[in-house]
Amino acid sequence: MVTRCNWSHCAWRDATRLHVEPLDPWAWRPDVPDLRVRVAPSPLKGLGVFADQPCGPGRHVGRYVGELLNLTQLLDRYAAEPPVYVYRLSASWSIDARASTHFSRWINHDAQPNLHARPSASRRRVELLAMRPVRVGDELTVDYGLGYWRARAERPAEHTDARIAAAGWGEEPPRAAASHREEVRPMGRRDRSWRAWRSGPGKRSNQTCEGQEGCSLL
């Protein structure tokens, strides 16, 4: 599904019908406060982020908050393991939320998300925007991209990504019980595996993350 927006509405089509929703009154404005949210347990995912106020498409929800790292710092820090809470801005810069206490660290994955992550390499930040109407109690999600899961032994929580089977990856490996994990899987911008990324910057995708709905439209 692809979300298309103009200056008054956003539209997308699911399996049953075409949806058209008006933009949030604060749409596209970066100077609005973060959406009120809470971090709470999420079924099969550990912790997640849930809306405590409603909003419409286009509203600023928050930013992905963490430590800014250049490529040398990133490779030194994660010489022996894949980065888990890293969001890639460009071939040279990344944001690492491993030690962050901001709510954005706990946003979970979904292949049909209600948030769009818009990175800016020049401003060295990632803005999170609503791409669907969000109701009080809705869990906020983004699409980590298939590249994130290719680099890990784990697979997405059940029913959050039908692309895994379509990609022919076979059966999903066993997942640790939520009670055995303190943290959820973070968002990560990787259009290829971490191992390939360490080998060289290569050619970057123009999209925020592989396969994300509306990635090139907001």
Side-chain angles (χ1 to χ4, degrees), residues 113-132:
N114 51 20
L115 299 187
H116 169 73
R118 184 167 67 181
S120 172
S122 60
R123 296 183 178 182
R124 296 179 184 175
R125 69 187 189 191
V126 179
E127 186 177 7
L128 302 170
L129 301 170
M131 58 187 297
R132 298 280 190 274

Side-chain angles (χ1 to χ4, degrees), residues 68-162:
L68 184 68
L69 301 178
N70 62 33
L71 183 59
T72 300
Q73 293 170 321
L74 181 69
L75 296 179
D76 288 345
R77 177 173 294 183
Y78 294 102
E81 59 179 333
V84 176
Y85 293 95
V86 169
Y87 197 105
R88 186 180 182 185
L89 294 172
S90 68
S92 302
W93 294 100
S94 300
I95 296 175
D96 187 0
R98 181 176 63 177
S100 175
T101 58
H102 190 261
F103 73 80
S104 58
R105 181 177 185 266
W106 287 277
I107 295 177
N108 278 315
H109 163 81
D110 199 292
Q112 299 182 17
N114 51 20
L115 299 187
H116 169 73
R118 184 167 67 181
S120 172
S122 60
R123 296 183 178 182
R124 296 179 184 175
R125 69 187 189 191
V126 179
E127 186 177 7
L128 302 170
L129 301 170
M131 58 187 297
R132 298 280 190 274
V134 174
R135 301 165 297 182
V136 173
D138 283 352
E139 182 174 3
L140 304 181
T141 58
V142 295
D143 185 351
Y144 294 1
L146 288 176
Y148 177 86
W149 300 106
R150 288 193 188 103
R152 304 186 60 80
E154 288 186 285
R155 292 292 181 261
E158 189 176 2
H159 306 308
T160 63
D161 201 326

